[in-house]
Amino acid sequence: MRYLRNTFLNSCLITILALTATLHAQTRRAPQPEDLYQLKTVSDPQLSSSGIVFVVTTTSEEKQKDFSHLWWLGASEAEPRQLTFGEHSNYQPRFFPDGRRIAFLSDRGEDEKTGLYVLDLRGGEAQPLIKTDQSISDFT
């Protein structure tokens, strides 16, 4: 069991590293300021028995703003898939004890305040978990 978990974790890390290697495929030249818009950073990997969820952050040249989205790589899947979309920041994913849902922070609300959302990994839209007048900065 430990071997399978280590093998799965290693394959997840290789996939995450592959997502960040976009600039290496280009020909050699001096870095340019606009190259920053091609970079993707991967952070906050969360492992469960069913897979791994992680955050990929990009910068929009047009909006001059960072956007973060959640990605999922299931234990039986070969390729990661994007879970969240749009011009929002979605971050700090945490698994529910059942391993089928994740809670996360997002500024997707109408007032652009950061709220706590839940997303079922089996499909569907993210739903607000609690409503508050204040932005949420952290949760456990």
Side-chain angles (χ1 to χ4, degrees):
M1 185 69 168
R2 176 179 248 172
Y3 173 76
L4 290 176
R5 181 181 168 118
N6 287 341
T7 302
F8 175 68
L9 184 56
N10 286 340
S11 66
C12 290
L13 291 175
I14 289 170
T15 302
I16 290 170
L17 290 173
L19 287 172
T20 62
T22 57
L23 288 180
H24 292 291
Q26 296 181 358
T27 59
R28 286 185 165 224
R29 62 175 176 74
Q32 303 296 313
E34 59 271 9
D35 291 341
L36 292 175
Y37 299 112
Q38 301 302 314
L39 293 176
K40 295 179 181 180
T41 58
V42 178
S43 62
D44 203 7
Q46 300 294 311
L47 186 64
S48 81
S49 60
S50 58
I52 186 171
V53 65
F54 53 95
V55 178
V56 176
T57 303
T58 58
T59 302
S60 167
E61 185 173 8
E62 179 184 320
K63 302 282 184 181
Q64 294 292 302
K65 184 177 178 185
D66 290 343
F67 297 110
S68 301
H69 292 288
L70 305 181
W71 285 70
W72 164 253
L73 178 61
S76 62
E77 297 175 20
E79 296 288 326
R81 63 183 163 97
Q82 190 170 350
L83 297 175
T84 60
F85 299 86
E87 294 181 344
H88 308 290
S89 289
N90 305 280
Y91 54 96
Q92 198 176 339
R94 299 294 181 263
F95 282 97
F96 275 74
D98 64 11
R100 293 182 290 183
R101 297 173 293 158
I102 54 171
F104 63 97
L105 296 176
S106 179
D107 64 0
R108 67 179 52 218
E110 295 171 14
D111 55 7
E112 294 187 8
K113 290 181 181 168
T114 301
L116 184 60
Y117 290 80
V118 63
L119 179 66
D120 193 319
L121 294 170
R122 296 170 291 184
E125 286 290 321
Q127 300 297 318
L129 192 57
I130 59 172
K131 295 200 182 230
T132 178
D133 293 335
Q134 304 294 319
S135 282
I136 299 172
S137 61
D138 196 9
F139 75 100
T140 302

